[in-house]
Amino acid sequence: MDDFSIPMNNGNVPPPAPPNFIRPGKRPLSSMTPTIILKDEKLRAVVGASGGAMIIAGTTEVVLNHLRGMDPLHSVLAPRVYHQLIPNVVQYENWTTPYGEHYEVPANVRTFLRRRGHVLQSLAGGSICQFIFVETSKKKKGRGELVGVSDPRKGGFPAGY
């Protein structure tokens, strides 16, 4: 029921969306953002995430990290920032998982954002992303091997055959 909008107005969250109010027989809107990446009409990668309102930003950041040259693992491991426009606050990851791994947006990035006038707030949590990438090599004559990266923020690990 949390994905439905509730008819109330709170200045700290985006305004409710009347088309998404709870009604019998309706399905809630969702932030699901399963993403399929193709190159030359061939599958290159699949990305998805959990994390409610942070799903879109988390998925987008993993994709952009990879397109900018990061390998699949570091694309997922990189600390993330989140902004929902209302309230006008940039949330950034600064947390240690129950498994002892720490994620924090670097100080120079936070300084840059503050200089640009952003209000920053640290966040102990965020989206959890899964990334499957097709690794190709000339040795295998263009045939790909699937590489799965499961976000360690939640203690996950890839499994398959």
Side-chain angles (χ1 to χ4, degrees):
M1 299 300 286
D2 192 44
D3 285 339
F4 282 108
S5 293
I6 299 171
M8 62 182 210
N9 199 357
N10 179 346
N12 294 325
V13 297
N20 198 40
F21 287 165
I22 300 170
R23 302 264 191 276
K26 287 185 71 176
R27 291 185 182 189
L29 297 177
S30 174
S31 299
M32 283 188 357
T33 313
T35 304
I36 300 170
I37 302 169
L38 304 173
K39 182 176 181 183
D40 299 325
E41 298 183 20
K42 293 184 179 176
L43 179 67
R44 297 297 297 149
V46 178
V47 183
S50 62
M54 297 174 190
I55 292 172
I56 295 170
T59 302
T60 302
E61 288 182 56
V62 169
V63 170
L64 289 175
N65 289 341
H66 186 65
L67 292 176
R68 291 181 184 140
M70 282 187 188
D71 63 80
L73 176 62
H74 288 94
S75 296
V76 171
L77 288 176
R80 302 184 187 117
V81 296
Y82 307 95
H83 197 312
Q84 294 184 27
L85 299 179
I86 300 172
N88 190 14
V89 173
V90 174
Q91 295 179 310
Y92 66 93
E93 286 187 328
N94 181 12
W95 62 304
T96 302
T97 69
Y99 307 98
E101 298 178 28
H102 186 75
Y103 297 90
E104 184 174 8
V105 171
N108 64 328
V109 173
R110 297 191 316 265
T111 299
F112 172 79
L113 291 170
R114 282 188 188 101
R115 285 185 185 150
R116 301 283 309 246
H118 293 287
V119 176
L120 298 177
Q121 179 182 56
S122 66
L123 177 68
S127 61
I128 307 297
C129 294
Q130 312 307 321
F131 188 19
I132 300 172
F133 179 75
V134 180
E135 184 80 42
T136 58
S137 69
K138 293 181 181 180
K139 293 178 186 178
K140 296 183 180 182
K141 299 179 183 177
R143 294 179 66 200
E145 179 178 323
L146 296 177
V147 176
V149 177
S150 209
D151 201 327
R153 287 168 175 83
K154 199 173 184 178
F157 57 91
Y161 58 93

